[in-house]
Every structure is written in structure tokens, then in C-alpha cells.
Amino acid sequence: MRPDGRSSMRESILAAAVHLFAQYGYHAAPLRDIARIAGIQAASIYHHYPNKQALLIEIMETYMLRLNVSLEHVLKEFDDPLQRLHEAIANHIRMHTTYKEEFFIIDTEMRALEEEHKAHIISLRDKYEALLQELLQDGMERGVFRQSDVKIASYAIIAMCTEVATWFRPNGRLSVQQVITSYRQFIVEGLLLTPGVTHMPDETAHLL
């Protein structure tokens, strides 16, 4: 039973850290408050994490890896450039609305990383950008997407889809799927070599 209990406690500590880092910022969230929310003594955290920086690294690494693995899956699972792009848009929006606090931390607390750890997390972010650029470049080479600057196009897509998490509300007027459908249309119509061929089924791959 010990391994299960330890794992459960790590998850509680991590969940508390996510909540406080997202609400107050990394530097304004002391370990004693993380311990209090997790229901343990402050000193007990050190049985699970050596310091607060380790919590930040685990949050960022865990969710950047999830994002990368899910996009890699899209590239392996689908061959058609348009369907790949549709799935990539859906995946990015679903991930960022499902794990809103975790990705907010990734986007806002990069400067809080110590230099020895920053390069690794940045490399994960760069990997995601490279995968999306690979998708776009393939679509251009196959005559599906118009020729454009691949890096700028990838940055624009990432920025648009990430921003959804700042205004989307689960109990709001639109469902996640409705938002995905709208964003697909906005993005794809700007990239297609032959405008008007944007429709894909609303069902998306379940990649979470």
C-alpha cells in the first residue's frame, strides 16, 4: 500500500501547487501554503519533492510532454494534411481548456525556472512548434496549403488556440466542440490553397 499512498500524496501536493502557482504566481506561493492545501505538514513535502522548483519543473514537463505526444499521434494517425490540421487545432484547444491552470503556468512562469532547468522545458516547447511546422510544411509541399512562412503560421495558430483558455467557460454559450469548429474555419480558410474546402466531421480524435 505504501507506493500507492506516496503516489496519491504526490498528486495532492502537485494539485495544490498548480492551484497556487496559477492563482498567485510561482514566487508568491510558499511551500507552507502548498502543504496546508495538500493536508500535510510543511516539512513533509520534502519527502516527495526536494524544493518548490521541482514542483514547477514537474508541472511544465508533464503537460508539455502530453501536448507533444498528442500531436505526434496526430501526425502518425492521419495522412491527409487538412485532417491533420483539424485534429491539431482540436487537440490544442481541448488540452488548454481541460488543463487550463497547468498551461497558464507554462505560459507565464518560464522565467521562474532556474537556468539549469530552463533549456529542457524550452526544448519541449520547441519540439511542439517543430511538429506543427512539419504538419504545415507537408501541407504546403502537397499543394493543400498556400505557400507562407511556416514559422509565422505556426506561431499564429498556437497563439490563437492557446488564447481560447483565457475566455472559454465550460458553462458558457458555446461548447468546446463549437469553439473548435469555429477556430478550424478561421485558421484553415487562411491556409487553404483552394478556399471553400474546409469541412470535416465534428468528431475529433480523443487524444487526452
Side-chain angles (χ1 to χ4, degrees), residues 74 78-90 135-136 138-140 142-145 184-185 187-201:
V74 167
F78 304 99
D79 180 65
D80 177 67
L82 183 56
Q83 187 170 13
R84 280 178 160 186
L85 182 58
H86 278 198
E87 296 294 340
I89 292 166
L135 184 160
L136 295 172
D138 175 68
M140 292 176 193
R142 293 164 69 176
V144 177
F145 303 148
R184 280 172 168 171
Q185 185 175 1
I187 294 168
V188 172
E189 285 189 354
L191 285 170
L192 279 182
L193 190 60
T194 305
V197 190
T198 61
H199 179 71
M200 291 289 288

Side-chain angles (χ1 to χ4, degrees), residues 69-205:
V69 167
S70 62
L71 187 50
E72 287 173 339
H73 175 80
V74 167
L75 293 175
K76 290 177 182 176
E77 187 74 13
F78 304 99
D79 180 65
D80 177 67
L82 183 56
Q83 187 170 13
R84 280 178 160 186
L85 182 58
H86 278 198
E87 296 294 340
I89 292 166
N91 179 69
H92 193 100
I93 292 175
R94 286 193 186 281
M95 290 282 281
H96 280 72
T97 53
T98 301
Y99 304 107
K100 183 175 179 176
E101 291 185 325
E102 290 85 349
F103 282 105
F104 177 77
I105 292 166
I106 292 170
D107 292 336
T108 60
E109 295 293 353
M110 195 69 72
R111 61 186 176 183
L113 285 170
E114 296 171 0
E115 286 302 320
E116 60 189 289
H117 307 300
K118 189 176 292 185
H120 172 57
I121 301 302
I122 289 175
S123 73
L124 295 177
R125 184 188 65 187
D126 291 347
K127 174 69 177 297
Y128 184 75
E129 292 172 358
L131 288 168
L132 183 56
Q133 289 162 16
E134 176 188 334
L135 184 160
L136 295 172
Q137 186 65 47
D138 175 68
M140 292 176 193
E141 291 175 356
R142 293 164 69 176
V144 177
F145 303 148
R146 69 175 73 249
Q147 293 296 319
S148 59
D149 189 302
V150 173
K151 281 194 173 183
I152 292 177
S154 69
Y155 296 157
I157 292 169
I158 289 170
M160 281 185 68
C161 295
T162 298
E163 186 68 15
V164 172
T166 66
W167 57 261
F168 177 78
R169 298 292 177 269
N171 57 349
R173 180 172 62 87
L174 298 174
S175 67
V176 173
Q177 185 56 54
Q178 287 173 314
V179 173
I180 288 169
T181 300
S182 294
Y183 270 63
R184 280 172 168 171
Q185 185 175 1
F186 302 151
I187 294 168
V188 172
E189 285 189 354
L191 285 170
L192 279 182
L193 190 60
T194 305
V197 190
T198 61
H199 179 71
M200 291 289 288
D202 280 346
E203 285 298 316
T204 60

Side-chain angles (χ1 to χ4, degrees), residues 1 23 189:
M1 296 296 292
Q23 187 168 3
E189 285 189 354

